[in-house]
Amino acid sequence: MLQTVFQRRTHRVSRGSSLSAGSMSYRSAEPRAPLTELEEAVLVALTGCTGLTMPDRPFADPRTGAPIMAKPNLTMAGRTAGSPDNAQGTAFFLINDSGTYFLRNLPPPPNGASLRDPDELVARAHEAKVRISDRRIDVPGDDRDFPAYLDSNRFLSNLPGTTILFPVVDLSRQYINGLMYLLTQPAGARPTIVDDRNFYRPAGVKRWIRKGFLNKDIKLPLGAVGALRTQIEADLLLQNLMLGADAMGLGAWIHGTISPPVLLGDPKFRKRYGPMLNFEWAVPRWRIADVLRWHVPLPRHAALRANAIGLSHDGGYLLRAMCPPHFPTMRHAVEAVVADKFGTDGIYTDNAVFERIFRESFGGTYLKEASDYAADVIECTIDICTYIYETHGRFPAHCEAIHVPGVWLQAHHVDEPYYRRYFQDGLTEAHLSHDRLWHAT
């Protein structure tokens, strides 16, 4: 691992590629060489579930003995990278020569066996892949200029023979859960949520200030709440993919995607580029206050605040934000998050999962003794979320419902003659031995 970290370098030139670079121009004599099923399956596994997490946290405040919230996790399924409150809101798409795929987050593998056996890895990758297009998602070759691709990326990115993995993050579920967790602070430490896009007025919490549930002297703007850090999941997972590909001796390159609004099918770009991934978008109804709140001057510019809220396929949803129109109201959305955690079929009512995590009978002990969300926490969260949606016409308002970091990872077989010709130490031992180790016949 340390060797991979210390030798990690970007390798942009895939086998079979050419580039115009003055006196260093290069035309490859190598054929294109797409990744094998096993090579792709290893990368898919690096994005997916690897087992169950451990709720190794206190149940009570040691100063007072008062119970504290010890069940913040949205899921107990763990991945190769950390996640705030284990939200695991990140999903990946995969692009290769055979098409464009959505990668479903599969449940934990039994005893980790499928993460060690090549045949099981390939089978698990097949199970995760949902083909949403039979072609490599892209814009026409003569239309690769901005705003589709950025600068030199357009000449080496998303070429035949390469595999692309890119993340999108549902922020909406953890936004609700994170607000509830925030409101479980001790009495006197619960902040008053204010809206920095609406003159710092209380964000639907006036009655909670009057009741003394929130501390009026601790003001937390919704803009500072941001995405509750959920967006970092994608960055961590991309780094794992980079290191994993490098350790395998593949070329790996994290760089700008096709512009996210273009890629997801923002209504403003569909006329030029088509639906692309064909996400569902919600356009908030324009209100005169939006001139000051969001600097949107006229109704005809309301689409500037268009927000991707879901992706459907074959009559079902692959991604669905926790907001209208997927739910009648924000109350329904919040209650759905609570039910997914504590309802009849919720995470924290599934004894079998916690029997797999803990030894002996400690799983039952945890479920019995660790606290759930109190009713006032849930109701205050409903008021905040309702305020956001009714005031700003979308949820969340201060960040996206579905966040696209705007970077993806390309994995490919490196063009070894190019790197031997122009660079000192351009290839690691992993690159030089890759064909012998992974493609021996």
Side-chain angles (χ1 to χ4, degrees), residues 381-397:
T381 301
I382 289 171
D383 285 352
I384 296 168
C385 295
T386 299
Y387 164 87
I388 292 171
Y389 185 76
E390 292 183 351
T391 302
H392 297 291
R394 52 175 269 187
F395 179 87

PDB file of all heavy atoms in Angstrom, residues 381-397:
ATOM      1  N   THR A 381     -37.220  18.950  13.079  1.00  0.00           N
ATOM      2  CA  THR A 381     -36.629  18.697  11.759  1.00  0.00           C
ATOM      3  C   THR A 381     -37.686  18.840  10.663  1.00  0.00           C
ATOM      4  O   THR A 381     -37.418  19.403   9.592  1.00  0.00           O
ATOM      5  CB  THR A 381     -35.988  17.303  11.715  1.00  0.00           C
ATOM      6  OG1 THR A 381     -34.972  17.213  12.715  1.00  0.00           O
ATOM      7  CG2 THR A 381     -35.381  17.014  10.352  1.00  0.00           C
ATOM      8  N   ILE A 382     -38.876  18.337  10.901  1.00  0.00           N
ATOM      9  CA  ILE A 382     -39.964  18.483   9.930  1.00  0.00           C
ATOM     10  C   ILE A 382     -40.245  19.962   9.673  1.00  0.00           C
ATOM     11  O   ILE A 382     -40.410  20.385   8.514  1.00  0.00           O
ATOM     12  CB  ILE A 382     -41.236  17.761  10.432  1.00  0.00           C
ATOM     13  CG1 ILE A 382     -41.038  16.243  10.369  1.00  0.00           C
ATOM     14  CG2 ILE A 382     -42.455  18.173   9.601  1.00  0.00           C
ATOM     15  CD1 ILE A 382     -42.145  15.449  11.048  1.00  0.00           C
ATOM     16  N   ASP A 383     -40.257  20.766  10.720  1.00  0.00           N
ATOM     17  CA  ASP A 383     -40.522  22.200  10.551  1.00  0.00           C
ATOM     18  C   ASP A 383     -39.431  22.872   9.722  1.00  0.00           C
ATOM     19  O   ASP A 383     -39.721  23.714   8.864  1.00  0.00           O
ATOM     20  CB  ASP A 383     -40.628  22.874  11.917  1.00  0.00           C
ATOM     21  CG  ASP A 383     -41.945  22.580  12.618  1.00  0.00           C
ATOM     22  OD1 ASP A 383     -42.834  21.970  11.984  1.00  0.00           O
ATOM     23  OD2 ASP A 383     -42.074  22.944  13.801  1.00  0.00           O
ATOM     24  N   ILE A 384     -38.161  22.504   9.964  1.00  0.00           N
ATOM     25  CA  ILE A 384     -37.051  23.094   9.200  1.00  0.00           C
ATOM     26  C   ILE A 384     -37.146  22.698   7.732  1.00  0.00           C
ATOM     27  O   ILE A 384     -37.036  23.537   6.828  1.00  0.00           O
ATOM     28  CB  ILE A 384     -35.695  22.670   9.789  1.00  0.00           C
ATOM     29  CG1 ILE A 384     -35.524  23.221  11.210  1.00  0.00           C
ATOM     30  CG2 ILE A 384     -34.550  23.147   8.900  1.00  0.00           C
ATOM     31  CD1 ILE A 384     -34.348  22.622  11.966  1.00  0.00           C
ATOM     32  N   CYS A 385     -37.360  21.413   7.483  1.00  0.00           N
ATOM     33  CA  CYS A 385     -37.402  20.928   6.100  1.00  0.00           C
ATOM     34  C   CYS A 385     -38.608  21.498   5.349  1.00  0.00           C
ATOM     35  O   CYS A 385     -38.514  21.831   4.160  1.00  0.00           O
ATOM     36  CB  CYS A 385     -37.425  19.404   6.085  1.00  0.00           C
ATOM     37  SG  CYS A 385     -35.906  18.645   6.729  1.00  0.00           S
ATOM     38  N   THR A 386     -39.740  21.611   6.038  1.00  0.00           N
ATOM     39  CA  THR A 386     -40.926  22.201   5.423  1.00  0.00           C
ATOM     40  C   THR A 386     -40.674  23.666   5.080  1.00  0.00           C
ATOM     41  O   THR A 386     -41.037  24.142   3.991  1.00  0.00           O
ATOM     42  CB  THR A 386     -42.134  22.075   6.363  1.00  0.00           C
ATOM     43  OG1 THR A 386     -42.383  20.683   6.614  1.00  0.00           O
ATOM     44  CG2 THR A 386     -43.371  22.727   5.761  1.00  0.00           C
ATOM     45  N   TYR A 387     -40.037  24.383   6.009  1.00  0.00           N
ATOM     46  CA  TYR A 387     -39.695  25.787   5.743  1.00  0.00           C
ATOM     47  C   TYR A 387     -38.813  25.901   4.495  1.00  0.00           C
ATOM     48  O   TYR A 387     -39.049  26.757   3.631  1.00  0.00           O
ATOM     49  CB  TYR A 387     -38.961  26.382   6.947  1.00  0.00           C
ATOM     50  CG  TYR A 387     -38.240  27.665   6.618  1.00  0.00           C
ATOM     51  CD1 TYR A 387     -38.890  28.888   6.687  1.00  0.00           C
ATOM     52  CD2 TYR A 387     -36.908  27.655   6.193  1.00  0.00           C
ATOM     53  CE1 TYR A 387     -38.244  30.069   6.342  1.00  0.00           C
ATOM     54  CE2 TYR A 387     -36.246  28.822   5.852  1.00  0.00           C
ATOM     55  CZ  TYR A 387     -36.917  30.028   5.923  1.00  0.00           C
ATOM     56  OH  TYR A 387     -36.266  31.183   5.579  1.00  0.00           O
ATOM     57  N   ILE A 388     -37.796  25.073   4.411  1.00  0.00           N
ATOM     58  CA  ILE A 388     -36.877  25.149   3.269  1.00  0.00           C
ATOM     59  C   ILE A 388     -37.643  24.963   1.964  1.00  0.00           C
ATOM     60  O   ILE A 388     -37.496  25.747   1.012  1.00  0.00           O
ATOM     61  CB  ILE A 388     -35.758  24.098   3.400  1.00  0.00           C
ATOM     62  CG1 ILE A 388     -34.823  24.444   4.562  1.00  0.00           C
ATOM     63  CG2 ILE A 388     -34.955  23.994   2.097  1.00  0.00           C
ATOM     64  CD1 ILE A 388     -33.832  23.353   4.905  1.00  0.00           C
ATOM     65  N   TYR A 389     -38.473  23.932   1.909  1.00  0.00           N
ATOM     66  CA  TYR A 389     -39.172  23.639   0.655  1.00  0.00           C
ATOM     67  C   TYR A 389     -40.189  24.726   0.319  1.00  0.00           C
ATOM     68  O   TYR A 389     -40.289  25.174  -0.839  1.00  0.00           O
ATOM     69  CB  TYR A 389     -39.864  22.276   0.740  1.00  0.00           C
ATOM     70  CG  TYR A 389     -40.505  21.884  -0.563  1.00  0.00           C
ATOM     71  CD1 TYR A 389     -39.726  21.420  -1.624  1.00  0.00           C
ATOM     72  CD2 TYR A 389     -41.878  22.005  -0.758  1.00  0.00           C
ATOM     73  CE1 TYR A 389     -40.294  21.081  -2.844  1.00  0.00           C
ATOM     74  CE2 TYR A 389     -42.457  21.666  -1.964  1.00  0.00           C
ATOM     75  CZ  TYR A 389     -41.657  21.214  -3.008  1.00  0.00           C
ATOM     76  OH  TYR A 389     -42.228  20.891  -4.218  1.00  0.00           O
ATOM     77  N   GLU A 390     -40.961  25.158   1.315  1.00  0.00           N
ATOM     78  CA  GLU A 390     -42.005  26.147   1.038  1.00  0.00           C
ATOM     79  C   GLU A 390     -41.430  27.535   0.751  1.00  0.00           C
ATOM     80  O   GLU A 390     -42.024  28.305  -0.010  1.00  0.00           O
ATOM     81  CB  GLU A 390     -42.978  26.197   2.217  1.00  0.00           C
ATOM     82  CG  GLU A 390     -43.807  24.923   2.352  1.00  0.00           C
ATOM     83  CD  GLU A 390     -44.820  24.997   3.482  1.00  0.00           C
ATOM     84  OE1 GLU A 390     -44.757  25.977   4.266  1.00  0.00           O
ATOM     85  OE2 GLU A 390     -45.657  24.080   3.580  1.00  0.00           O
ATOM     86  N   THR A 391     -40.276  27.851   1.320  1.00  0.00           N
ATOM     87  CA  THR A 391     -39.677  29.170   1.114  1.00  0.00           C
ATOM     88  C   THR A 391     -38.913  29.242  -0.202  1.00  0.00           C
ATOM     89  O   THR A 391     -38.984  30.239  -0.928  1.00  0.00           O
ATOM     90  CB  THR A 391     -38.734  29.521   2.280  1.00  0.00           C
ATOM     91  OG1 THR A 391     -39.462  29.493   3.502  1.00  0.00           O
ATOM     92  CG2 THR A 391     -38.110  30.900   2.087  1.00  0.00           C
ATOM     93  N   HIS A 392     -38.198  28.174  -0.525  1.00  0.00           N
ATOM     94  CA  HIS A 392     -37.277  28.224  -1.667  1.00  0.00           C
ATOM     95  C   HIS A 392     -37.700  27.351  -2.845  1.00  0.00           C
ATOM     96  O   HIS A 392     -37.022  27.339  -3.875  1.00  0.00           O
ATOM     97  CB  HIS A 392     -35.870  27.842  -1.205  1.00  0.00           C
ATOM     98  CG  HIS A 392     -35.297  28.781  -0.197  1.00  0.00           C
ATOM     99  ND1 HIS A 392     -34.929  30.063  -0.512  1.00  0.00           N
ATOM    100  CD2 HIS A 392     -35.049  28.626   1.134  1.00  0.00           C
ATOM    101  CE1 HIS A 392     -34.456  30.674   0.574  1.00  0.00           C
ATOM    102  NE2 HIS A 392     -34.522  29.825   1.585  1.00  0.00           N
ATOM    103  N   GLY A 393     -38.771  26.591  -2.677  1.00  0.00           N
ATOM    104  CA  GLY A 393     -39.306  25.844  -3.813  1.00  0.00           C
ATOM    105  C   GLY A 393     -38.554  24.582  -4.155  1.00  0.00           C
ATOM    106  O   GLY A 393     -38.856  23.944  -5.175  1.00  0.00           O
ATOM    107  N   ARG A 394     -37.598  24.189  -3.340  1.00  0.00           N
ATOM    108  CA  ARG A 394     -36.863  22.951  -3.557  1.00  0.00           C
ATOM    109  C   ARG A 394     -36.247  22.508  -2.238  1.00  0.00           C
ATOM    110  O   ARG A 394     -36.122  23.292  -1.302  1.00  0.00           O
ATOM    111  CB  ARG A 394     -35.771  23.107  -4.622  1.00  0.00           C
ATOM    112  CG  ARG A 394     -34.841  24.263  -4.409  1.00  0.00           C
ATOM    113  CD  ARG A 394     -33.716  24.314  -5.419  1.00  0.00           C
ATOM    114  NE  ARG A 394     -32.549  23.580  -4.938  1.00  0.00           N
ATOM    115  CZ  ARG A 394     -31.368  23.572  -5.557  1.00  0.00           C
ATOM    116  NH1 ARG A 394     -31.222  24.224  -6.698  1.00  0.00           N
ATOM    117  NH2 ARG A 394     -30.356  22.904  -5.057  1.00  0.00           N
ATOM    118  N   PHE A 395     -35.860  21.232  -2.187  1.00  0.00           N
ATOM    119  CA  PHE A 395     -35.204  20.708  -0.998  1.00  0.00           C
ATOM    120  C   PHE A 395     -34.094  19.757  -1.432  1.00  0.00           C
ATOM    121  O   PHE A 395     -34.338  18.858  -2.233  1.00  0.00           O
ATOM    122  CB  PHE A 395     -36.190  19.971  -0.093  1.00  0.00           C
ATOM    123  CG  PHE A 395     -35.538  19.399   1.143  1.00  0.00           C
ATOM    124  CD1 PHE A 395     -35.406  20.173   2.277  1.00  0.00           C
ATOM    125  CD2 PHE A 395     -35.022  18.111   1.144  1.00  0.00           C
ATOM    126  CE1 PHE A 395     -34.779  19.664   3.405  1.00  0.00           C
ATOM    127  CE2 PHE A 395     -34.389  17.604   2.267  1.00  0.00           C
ATOM    128  CZ  PHE A 395     -34.276  18.379   3.401  1.00  0.00           C
ATOM    129  N   PRO A 396     -32.892  19.933  -0.833  1.00  0.00           N
ATOM    130  CA  PRO A 396     -32.454  21.112  -0.087  1.00  0.00           C
ATOM    131  C   PRO A 396     -32.410  22.340  -0.993  1.00  0.00           C
ATOM    132  O   PRO A 396     -32.483  22.201  -2.216  1.00  0.00           O
ATOM    133  CB  PRO A 396     -31.054  20.730   0.401  1.00  0.00           C
ATOM    134  CG  PRO A 396     -30.920  19.250   0.211  1.00  0.00           C
ATOM    135  CD  PRO A 396     -31.824  18.917  -0.937  1.00  0.00           C
ATOM    136  N   ALA A 397     -32.240  23.501  -0.382  1.00  0.00           N
ATOM    137  CA  ALA A 397     -32.151  24.735  -1.167  1.00  0.00           C
ATOM    138  C   ALA A 397     -30.729  25.266  -1.236  1.00  0.00           C
ATOM    139  O   ALA A 397     -30.352  25.898  -2.217  1.00  0.00           O
ATOM    140  CB  ALA A 397     -33.066  25.801  -0.571  1.00  0.00           C
TER     141      ALA A 397
END
